[in-house]
Amino acid sequence: MRASGPETLTHALVSGSLPFVGTYGLLEVAGPVLDALGDPTRRAILETLRRGGPSSVGGLAERIPVSRPAISQHLKVLGAVGLVDHESRGTRNIYRVDRTGLDELRAWLDRFWDDALEAYADHIRRTESGGEQ
C-alpha cells in the first residue's frame, strides 16, 4: 500500500512542478560545482576517474555500486559544471576528469583563503602597533 498524507502530496507536487532555484548567488561559478560535489555518488565517480583514468559508463558501473543509467545521469551533472568531459569512441563515450570545474572551484577557495589571510595579517599589524591586546 502506498503512503498517503500531506507529506506525500507535498513531495509529489513540489518535486514534480517546481524548478530548482539556487539561493546562494554569492558563490557564482563555485556554487554549481559545490552542488554537484554535494552528492556522494558524484564524488565517487570523480574520484574513480581521477585515480583510474578515463572510463566508459560500463567501466564506472563495474567499480561503483550504481546502475549504468544512474552513472550516466551523474556524469551529465558533472559534465554540466565542467568536472568531467567525454569523447566518443564508436558507440561508447569515454569520460575523464576535466580540470576546468576544479580550477574554478580552486580559484574560489583561493579567494576565500586570501581574504582570511589578509584579515589575519591586519590583526597582527594592529596587535604589533599596540592597537589591540
Side-chain angles (χ1 to χ4, degrees):
M1 181 173 193
R2 195 166 195 196
S4 63
E7 308 84 31
T8 305
L9 180 61
T10 301
H11 177 71
L13 291 175
V14 171
S15 66
S17 62
L18 292 177
F20 174 76
V21 177
T23 56
Y24 301 105
L26 297 174
L27 295 179
E28 302 152 10
V29 174
V33 173
L34 290 171
D35 286 344
L37 292 174
D39 183 275
T41 301
R42 288 195 281 272
R43 289 193 307 269
I45 290 169
L46 192 63
E47 185 64 17
T48 300
L49 289 172
R50 186 187 72 77
R51 288 183 180 206
S55 180
S56 65
V57 171
L60 288 167
E62 289 173 4
R63 294 181 274 174
I64 300 170
V66 179
S67 69
R68 286 181 185 208
I71 295 281
S72 293
Q73 289 298 313
H74 287 298
L75 286 166
K76 184 176 179 181
V77 172
L78 291 169
V81 298
L83 290 173
V84 298
D85 194 10
H86 72 278
E87 66 178 90
S88 296
R89 290 189 190 161
T91 59
R92 299 183 328 165
N93 287 325
I94 304 300
Y95 292 86
R96 66 182 167 280
V97 173
D98 182 351
R99 299 241 178 247
T100 304
L102 294 174
D103 290 343
E104 292 169 354
L105 178 59
R106 172 112 192 225
W108 180 79
L109 290 170
D110 286 347
R111 287 192 305 272
F112 172 81
W113 284 113
D114 288 346
D115 291 346
L117 290 173
E118 185 59 36
Y120 179 70
D122 287 344
H123 173 74
I124 295 298
R125 285 190 286 271
R126 285 190 311 270
T127 301
E128 288 178 348
S129 67
E132 275 186 34
Q133 295 298 322

